[in-house]
Amino acid sequence: MQSSWRLMFFMSLASCFTESSEAIPGIPTTYAAILRLKSLSSSYSSRTRQRSSSPPLGSISSPSWHGAAAQQQQQQHSPTNLYHVSEAFKHDESVDHGPVFIQEPDSVIFPVDSDEKKVSLGCQARANPAPTYKWLRNGTEIDIESDYRYSVIEGSIIINNPSETKDTGQYQCITTNMFGSILSREATLQFAYLGNFSGRTRSAVSVREGQGVVLMCSPPLHSPEIIYSWVFNEFPSFVAEDSRRFISQETGNLYISKVQPSDVGSYICLVKNTVTNARVLSPPTPLTLRTDGKQGVMGEYEPKIEVHFPYTVTTAKGSTIKMECFALGNPVPTISWRKVNGPNPSKARLRKSQAVLEIPNVQLEDAGTYECKAENSRGRNVFRGQLQVYTYPHWTERLNDTQLDSGDQLRWECKAIGKPRPTYRWLKNGTPLWPESRIEMVNGVLMIHSVNQSDAGMYQCVAENKHGAVYTSAELRILASAPTFLASHLKKTIIITKGQEVAVECKPQASPKPTISWKKGDKALRENKRITVLPDGSLRILNATKSDEGKYVCRGENVFGSAEITASVFVKEPTRIDLSPKRTELTVGESIVLSCKALHDPTLDVIFHWTLNGQPIDFEKEGGHFESIRVQVSSADLMIRNILLMHAGRYGCRVQTTADSISDEAELLVRGPPGPPGVVIVEEITETTATLSWTPGADNHSPITSYNLQARSPFSLGWQTVKTVPETISGDMESAMAVELNPWVEYEFRVVATNKIGTGDPSAPSRVIRTKEAVPKTAPANVSGRSGRRHELVIAWEPVSEEFQNGEGFGYIVAFRPNGTRGWKEKMVTSSDASKFIYRDESVPPLTPFEVKVGVYNNKGDGPFSPIVVICSAEGEPSAAPTDVKATGLSVSEILIAWRHNKESVGRPQGFEVGYWKDMEQEEAAEKARTEGNESSIILTGLEGNTLYHLRVKAYNAAGYGPPSNAVRVATKKSPPSQAPSNIMWIQDGSHVSLGWEPVRPLANESDVMGYKVLFRQEGHSNSQVIETQKTSAVVLLPDVGVYIIEVRAVSEGGDGTPSSQIRVPSFSGGKVTSSQSSLHTFSTSSSTVTFLLVLMVPSTSW
């Protein structure tokens, strides 16, 4: 038994352990020194200043059910923490405002044995002036000054050398500036540790074979959760869970429903901390079998449920819940689950041989009674428990910053949802707010009557249930100031016309609300039926006259002071307008000018605006149709060119002055081609007709005179006009019949209307419809014969287009008979695409004449036959091989092959095919070359030099190939000499140039030299002249004056050899010049002038 304790040695090999369960889901864990349980509340929106917060992990009460607690930790992300700005306080940092949390503290789990010696809880707020911070632990303020372990940096608290006994608890941050204080949500500081098992030796457990047993783990003290597994005998032998063995992650115990002899051994409980990953082992528990006579084997007995989920299980919405159920029994019981009050959730999964029911993403509808049933052949046992689903509080309505005048009433309402339903409490400057004579708090509503400066501050509404709390905050400001006006309102000039209403605004900013008084000039203004002061302090004058002109002064006053504004009022004569013509009818393409004149006070400027159907005309985007013409100050014209239908409507001219605005409208009617007719309906369809109806479109102010029907099919080139009944469709008709359609063809129809102006746009196409089937009416065309094999009659024709097949099941009837006989032989060709039929009869001689006709049919019946034509049976492929085949090597890459055609051959050839292959190759790899017609020779090119080839010739025609000739053999010539003529020497006498060179010596694998070619051409020309000679010298006549380029090549059976280097020789009369490639010589005579000639030797290039 002591050997099992050696497992302690292997605890450092943590990575070798196979984990039997997972870390807490939903927590973004990092196994650093400090594990922070982050929630979404750390997110922050910089654009808003409504204030709210969500519960940290520490604010969630921990129920006794372990699985639910783990899921509650997962659900720390569900409540959200959002911030919003009200219109009262903008995000401009230059504006003073109270604190708004940017970051609130998150719950922290700190490992006791961590190398990190400090822990931090974050807190940061935005405020102007900048805020200060203090911290509470368990509701009591922490004295930062008196304990050196604490420090606050930019709002966050740092705890050095944290102590479990001193520092465990709930933490809150309070931030304050001159406008008040707000309190953060709670965050929990928790310490993670794992104690050691008691070292006391555990007693052996002795059971009978077949009996059930529970091995107790009795875990040490720990925080937070731990994971259980069991080791059997020695590491690394772990107990594998199955239908007979189960390890509860709630109790840690090992349950064996039916003990077998193989279970005997030593069992050790291994626990692992989910945060620190620390592991400890229990002392071993021996398991033995009792062997007391006949009673050593346990008899069968009914199941007994040893571990089950609680009677009431609570879990958060969105979490994953795991419920356990396992029973002892003989035989081994099977476990099944069901939801008593409804079907099992479809997402539910059974784990660990059905001993665990797992429900992911729990929703409210998953709540209810669940039943676990253990059953074997001896009986069954049942357990039932209630699953309750809760939700954290969640804001549906938050607080907004508010500013009020003294004496006003404040009403704030916050609303949250959650299960159980949340309750509400209020804080002012971080401390509880209680009802008073002026303060009422009912169900999330806060009312303060007759507010004063003492009520200003930071307020928070807290919505909470037993699972968590959320916070929302807002600032209340009480205003107190003397009246002020915006600088732009201090002096105003108001220009109106007689009879208009004058409104002079007077709304000073002040708190409390000021009293308003008005003067005209130096005298107090008297109100009457026309002149009144409105409740908001503004002055209104109805039906203004000249006497109302003058200066008006508004004064606002309260206990803190007063302010005034002045408004100067001028009353002018009203503006009048004349727009012409008032109503006009035009035809598309015509033009018109609308004239707008204004009669107005000469001291006022006037602006003209043009509209069409109430919308301003954009002269830049109207395609040049509109132009505004301003000739005089008091008039404007609108030119409309090349008018379109879309330009019809009401044209408005608006005259705008600084005093008034007046407008008038003119109506423009535009006549044009009709609009498209309405929906086209196919009412009746036959083989060749379609009855159509439609609704008339807009006539565009010119009556419709006629309609035109058009059709489109897959076989037509776009839309085509169809014949109709009646032949002419008058403008008052709304239906007609399309005739002479093809049967069994898909058609679309549309209608086009015409009036005196022209033809309009077509209607939308009708739905696609197919005409009915009919017997085909079109016979195949161009029936003729084709080449074929011997004893074949090949009949060809042009297939009938699908457009004329008239129905399904279309095919051809091929009828034929030998010329001069009576009875027809008919064959059916079922393919509508067929264009050929081959009839084979061994008794038919070649070129036997037949009378042939081809008919058509479909499912409706047989159609017509084509006219009778006479065609002959095939003569077949050539029957004889070519004779007298001869082949001659022409050059290094060419062979000439010639043959004779056997005139007695049956099957006229269309040409001949030559197959040729190298001596060491197989005939199957032969390359092919063809002739056409009666050609009886061909030059094969592109061959290899000095190579033996085999050749065969055979005739061919459309029926196939004839027999091949006997094979002949021929070799290509050797390659031409690779050596170029060298040491070229020349002497020039006038236009004659005498050349000489050393002879070319071919190599053994090169052709013998048969002679030489001298090629010369005038510089700048492409055509060369050639002199052939068998000697190593030649005389060249240069006929024209200029520079000549000369080169020499050897000639052999294998072709021309490598050219010599080019020489450039000028042509002139006079002296005699000699040259060589190695030296330059000059000669002279008594009758000529000595001339020096530099010979340019050009590198050898292709001629």
Side-chain angles (χ1 to χ4, degrees):
M1 299 301 291
Q2 294 300 322
S3 62
S4 62
W5 286 96
R6 298 172 187 169
L7 283 171
M8 296 297 291
F9 174 75
F10 297 100
M11 289 308 295
S12 61
L13 305 177
S15 59
C16 299
F17 282 82
T18 302
E19 301 301 331
S20 59
S21 60
E22 300 175 355
I24 302 175
I27 299 179
T29 56
T30 58
Y31 298 111
I34 301 177
L35 176 70
R36 295 187 178 275
L37 303 182
K38 293 287 185 181
S39 73
L40 288 182
S41 62
S42 61
S43 62
Y44 168 67
S45 170
S46 63
R47 295 182 54 83
T48 57
R49 199 167 172 265
Q50 263 185 345
R51 311 148 195 257
S52 63
S53 60
S54 55
L57 178 66
S59 65
I60 304 171
S61 60
S62 300
S64 59
W65 174 239
H66 167 80
Q71 304 310 318
Q72 289 169 355
Q73 291 191 7
Q74 176 188 6
Q75 287 307 303
Q76 61 183 302
H77 295 285
S78 296
T80 57
N81 181 17
L82 305 174
Y83 303 88
H84 298 276
V85 158
S86 69
E87 290 303 317
F89 303 104
K90 301 300 182 183
H91 198 49
D92 186 355
E93 289 302 325
S94 64
V95 177
D96 291 346
H97 62 85
V100 179
F101 277 119
I102 297 174
Q103 179 188 11
E104 294 186 68
D106 295 312
S107 292
V108 175
I109 300 178
F110 184 80
V112 171
D113 56 354
S114 172
D115 293 334
E116 184 72 23
K117 297 306 180 182
K118 61 183 177 181
V119 65
S120 172
L121 296 171
C123 180
Q124 187 179 0
R126 173 172 47 83
N128 195 12
T132 60
Y133 300 89
K134 60 182 179 180
W135 282 82
L136 306 179
R137 182 179 62 244
N138 300 328
T140 302
E141 183 177 350
I142 299 173
D143 188 350
I144 304 296
E145 302 297 331
S146 63
D147 193 333
Y148 72 94
R149 296 187 308 114
Y150 297 105
S151 60
V152 175
I153 301 175
E154 294 183 353
S156 299
I157 187 170
I158 311 296
I159 306 175
N160 290 289
N161 300 316
S163 164
E164 180 185 0
T165 57
K166 295 180 180 180
D167 299 320
T168 299
Q170 306 292 329
Y171 287 76
Q172 285 179 285
C173 165
I174 299 178
T175 178
T176 306
N177 74 353
M178 60 181 291
F179 296 103
S181 305
I182 53 175
L183 179 67
S184 75
R185 66 180 177 206
E186 291 183 339
T188 301
L189 176 56
Q190 184 179 353
F191 287 79
Y193 59 88
L194 179 61
N196 289 316
F197 282 95
S198 168
R200 182 173 55 86
T201 301
R202 298 194 175 188
S203 302
V205 178
S206 182
V207 296
R208 287 183 289 174
E209 181 182 347
Q211 185 178 356
V213 68
V214 179
L215 300 181
M216 310 298 288
C217 179
S218 302
L221 296 175
H222 60 272
S223 174
E225 310 301 332
I226 56 176
I227 297 173
Y228 299 90
S229 56
W230 284 77
V231 176
F232 179 57
N233 286 333
E234 290 196 4
F235 178 85
S237 176
F238 285 89
V239 174
E241 295 180 83
D242 51 26
S243 60
R244 196 172 60 84
R245 291 169 295 190
F246 177 68
I247 300 172
S248 171
Q249 294 302 319
E250 300 306 319
T251 64
N253 299 334
L254 170 61
Y255 300 83
I256 303 177
S257 62
K258 174 187 173 184
V259 173
Q260 298 176 355
S262 60
D263 296 324
V264 173
S266 177
Y267 289 85
I268 301 170
C269 181
L270 170 64
V271 296
K272 169 190 166 183
N273 190 294
T274 57
V275 173
T276 65
N277 281 338
R279 295 172 171 84
V280 293
L281 295 165
S282 71
T285 301
L287 177 64
T288 61
L289 287 181
R290 293 169 55 185
T291 55
D292 48 352
K294 296 182 180 180
Q295 300 299 320
V297 177
M298 181 78 173
E300 294 184 351
Y301 65 95
E302 66 180 13
K304 177 186 177 184
I305 295 177
E306 279 293 333
V307 59
H308 58 74
F309 55 99
Y311 288 100
T312 301
V313 182
T314 59
T315 189
K317 177 183 175 182
S319 65
T320 296
I321 182 69
K322 295 180 181 179
M323 294 186 283
E324 295 182 348
C325 181
F326 190 78
L328 310 183
N330 187 4
V332 175
T334 58
I335 307 296
S336 60
W337 295 81
R338 76 181 183 99
K339 186 179 181 183
V340 175
N341 50 349
N344 284 352
S346 59
K347 59 194 172 185
R349 299 290 181 267
L350 295 175
R351 309 291 187 194
K352 295 188 177 183
S353 300
Q354 305 189 63
V356 176
L357 175 65
E358 179 181 303
I359 306 175
N361 190 23
V362 174
Q363 300 298 309
L364 294 176
E365 58 269 21
D366 297 328
T369 300
Y370 285 81
E371 177 184 276
C372 159
K373 179 170 68 176
E375 190 171 15
N376 64 10
S377 59
R378 304 297 297 178
R380 64 177 184 175
N381 199 349
V382 173
F383 176 80
R384 287 184 178 181
Q386 186 78 19
L387 174 62
Q388 295 180 351
V389 181
Y390 65 84
T391 60
Y392 298 100
H394 175 73
W395 289 120
T396 59
E397 185 175 336
R398 301 179 176 85
L399 302 182
N400 290 309
D401 293 338
T402 302
Q403 52 186 3
L404 298 175
D405 292 331
S406 296
D408 287 351
Q409 176 178 295
L410 170 70
R411 186 185 189 277
W412 263 332
E413 182 174 8
C414 56
K415 290 183 180 179
I417 56 175
K419 186 176 181 182
R421 180 180 297 174
T423 59
Y424 302 91
R425 56 189 174 90
W426 290 84
L427 307 175
K428 178 184 177 184
N429 293 327
T431 60
L433 183 66
W434 305 108
E436 298 177 5
S437 58
R438 293 186 302 112
I439 301 175
E440 299 178 23
M441 289 176 285
V442 179
N443 293 330
V445 176
L446 170 65
M447 295 184 65
I448 304 178
H449 302 279
S450 188
V451 298
N452 55 48
Q453 282 295 331
S454 66
D455 297 316
M458 301 299 302
Y459 288 79
Q460 290 177 277
C461 175
V462 184
E464 55 192 350
N465 61 19
K466 65 180 181 178
H467 302 292
V470 288
Y471 291 65
T472 178
S473 63
E475 179 181 343
L476 174 62
R477 289 192 184 183
I478 308 302
L479 303 179
S481 63
T484 58
F485 291 95
L486 296 177
S488 58
H489 291 179
L490 295 179
K491 291 185 178 181
K492 279 188 174 182
T493 299
I494 300 173
I495 304 174
I496 60 168
T497 59
K498 290 181 180 178
Q500 283 188 322
E501 176 183 320
V502 182
V504 185
E505 186 179 86
C506 181
K507 297 179 180 178
Q509 296 178 352
S511 181
K513 185 176 179 181
T515 57
I516 303 296
S517 60
W518 281 91
K519 294 190 299 182
K520 182 180 180 185
D522 297 329
K523 296 181 179 180
L525 185 66
R526 293 185 179 181
E527 296 187 59
N528 54 38
K529 291 182 179 180
R530 279 195 321 111
I531 303 174
T532 56
V533 177
L534 301 178
D536 65 356
S538 300
L539 175 64
R540 183 176 66 186
I541 304 174
L542 302 176
N543 193 18
T545 65
K546 272 287 187 181
S547 63
D548 295 322
E549 286 188 334
K551 289 188 176 181
Y552 292 81
V553 178
C554 171
R555 178 182 177 86
E557 186 174 6
N558 68 7
V559 295
F560 297 105
S562 63
E564 292 182 348
I565 58 171
T566 301
S568 299
V569 176
F570 298 90
V571 181
K572 305 290 185 178
E573 292 294 329
T575 305
R576 289 177 293 166
I577 190 172
D578 180 22
L579 177 62
S580 64
K582 284 292 189 182
R583 190 177 190 279
T584 307
E585 293 188 6
L586 296 171
T587 300
V588 168
E590 294 181 343
S591 301
I592 189 176
V593 175
L594 299 179
S595 179
C596 184
K597 297 179 180 179
L599 301 174
H600 60 93
D601 189 298
T603 63
L604 300 177
D605 294 329
V606 62
I607 300 175
F608 292 86
H609 301 277
W610 289 97
T611 61
L612 172 57
N613 296 324
Q615 297 300 316
I617 296 175
D618 189 338
F619 292 93
E620 299 295 329
K621 296 183 180 179
E622 292 296 339
H625 290 282
F626 295 95
E627 182 183 357
S628 178
I629 303 173
R630 186 82 178 267
V631 179
Q632 299 176 350
V633 175
S634 299
S635 66
D637 294 338
L638 176 64
M639 166 71 79
I640 310 174
R641 297 186 181 90
N642 192 21
I643 200 163
L644 304 177
L645 286 171
M646 61 185 291
H647 296 148
R650 296 176 290 103
Y651 284 82
C653 175
R654 181 166 62 89
V655 177
Q656 179 78 48
T657 71
T658 52
D660 60 353
S661 175
I662 188 169
S663 61
D664 197 4
E665 287 186 343
E667 185 177 3
L668 207 60
L669 251 67
V670 180
R671 296 186 298 269
V679 179
V680 178
I681 299 174
V682 182
E683 296 186 339
E684 185 178 355
I685 195 81
T686 68
E687 296 90 341
T688 59
T689 66
T691 302
L692 311 174
S693 65
W694 61 89
T695 55
D699 63 8
N700 291 329
H701 310 295
S702 179
I704 297 173
T705 56
S706 64
Y707 288 100
N708 180 25
L709 263 59
Q710 297 178 345
R712 179 173 65 180
S713 74
F715 314 106
S716 65
L717 296 175
W719 291 94
Q720 304 289 331
T721 299
V722 295
K723 293 185 178 180
T724 60
V725 175
E727 186 174 349
T728 301
I729 307 172
S730 61
D732 58 351
M733 298 180 66
E734 296 181 16
S735 66
M737 178 184 292
V739 298
E740 298 186 15
L741 305 176
N742 290 327
W744 199 240
V745 172
E746 290 183 338
Y747 285 97
E748 292 176 282
F749 298 95
R750 71 182 188 184
V751 181
V752 181
T754 302
N755 61 13
K756 290 181 179 180
I757 309 300
T759 299
D761 294 331
S763 68
S766 70
R767 64 184 177 92
V768 177
I769 194 162
R770 187 188 288 271
T771 50
K772 295 185 176 179
E773 294 180 279
V775 174
K777 295 286 193 298
T778 303
N782 297 329
V783 178
S784 61
R786 293 286 187 271
S787 298
R789 296 184 179 276
R790 194 174 292 112
H791 310 303
E792 289 183 349
L793 175 65
V794 182
I795 304 168
W797 62 89
E798 287 186 8
V800 176
S801 167
E802 185 181 351
E803 182 179 7
F804 303 105
Q805 293 176 4
N806 292 5
E808 291 187 309
F810 181 84
Y812 299 94
I813 305 171
V814 181
F816 53 93
R817 62 187 179 187
N819 206 359
T821 61
R822 297 180 61 85
W824 292 92
K825 181 172 288 189
E826 293 186 348
K827 296 292 184 180
M828 307 286 286
V829 179
T830 58
S831 172
S832 61
D833 298 326
S835 61
K836 184 171 70 173
F837 173 74
I838 300 175
Y839 172 69
R840 183 173 181 83
D841 188 342
E842 297 292 337
S843 66
V844 176
L847 301 177
T848 300
F850 279 82
E851 291 183 306
V852 176
K853 60 181 180 179
V854 181
V856 292
Y857 71 93
N858 64 15
N859 290 345
K860 284 293 192 178
D862 295 345
F865 277 90
S866 66
I868 296 174
V869 297
V870 176
I871 62 176
C872 293
S873 61
E875 56 183 330
E877 66 276 5
S879 61
T883 60
D884 295 336
V885 179
K886 296 180 180 179
T888 304
L890 297 182
S891 68
V892 68
S893 62
E894 296 175 325
I895 293 176
L896 170 64
I897 181 168
W899 61 87
R900 289 182 183 274
H901 172 55
N902 192 334
K903 302 294 184 183
E904 297 178 359
S905 173
V906 179
R908 290 170 294 182
Q910 294 179 352
F912 295 87
E913 182 178 276
V914 178
Y916 56 97
W917 64 98
K918 297 178 185 178
D919 185 47
M920 301 302 294
E921 294 179 346
Q922 298 296 320
E923 185 175 356
E924 289 75 12
E927 297 187 57
K928 306 291 193 299
R930 275 193 170 193
T931 68
E932 294 185 358
N934 294 322
E935 293 184 20
S936 59
S937 66
I938 188 173
I939 295 177
L940 304 177
T941 61
L943 307 178
E944 292 186 14
N946 197 21
T947 303
L948 179 63
Y949 282 89
H950 299 261
L951 303 96
R952 288 186 191 273
V953 185
K954 53 186 175 182
Y956 68 88
N957 60 18
Y961 290 94
S965 68
N966 293 328
V968 296
R969 303 197 307 168
V970 65
T972 53
K973 301 295 184 183
K974 293 181 180 180
S975 302
S978 58
Q979 178 187 350
S982 60
N983 293 331
I984 299 176
M985 303 179 65
W986 55 271
I987 184 170
Q988 182 177 4
D989 186 4
S991 60
H992 290 80
V993 178
S994 297
L995 299 166
W997 56 86
E998 291 185 2
V1000 173
R1001 309 294 181 186
L1003 302 176
N1005 61 345
E1006 294 177 344
S1007 300
D1008 293 336
V1009 176
M1010 299 169 56
Y1012 297 92
K1013 287 181 181 179
V1014 178
L1015 297 90
F1016 62 97
R1017 61 181 171 85
Q1018 198 168 7
E1019 192 172 48
H1021 294 70
S1022 59
N1023 294 326
S1024 297
Q1025 299 181 54
V1026 181
I1027 296 175
E1028 295 190 6
T1029 179
Q1030 293 182 345
K1031 302 179 181 180
T1032 57
S1033 63
V1035 178
V1036 177
L1037 174 62
L1038 306 180
D1040 298 319
V1041 176
V1043 177
Y1044 282 80
I1045 299 175
I1046 303 174
E1047 71 179 26
V1048 183
R1049 297 182 181 183
V1051 178
S1052 70
E1053 285 187 337
D1056 293 347
T1058 305
S1060 68
S1061 300
Q1062 295 178 350
I1063 60 175
R1064 300 175 73 248
V1065 179
S1067 176
F1068 64 96
S1069 62
K1072 185 179 296 182
V1073 180
T1074 65
S1075 174
S1076 75
Q1077 293 181 352
S1078 60
S1079 63
L1080 175 65
H1081 303 277
T1082 61
F1083 300 88
S1084 65
T1085 64
S1086 59
S1087 61
S1088 62
T1089 305
V1090 177
T1091 304
F1092 293 93
L1093 175 65
L1094 176 63
V1095 179
L1096 174 64
M1097 302 307 299
V1098 181
S1100 175
T1101 61
S1102 178
W1103 185 261

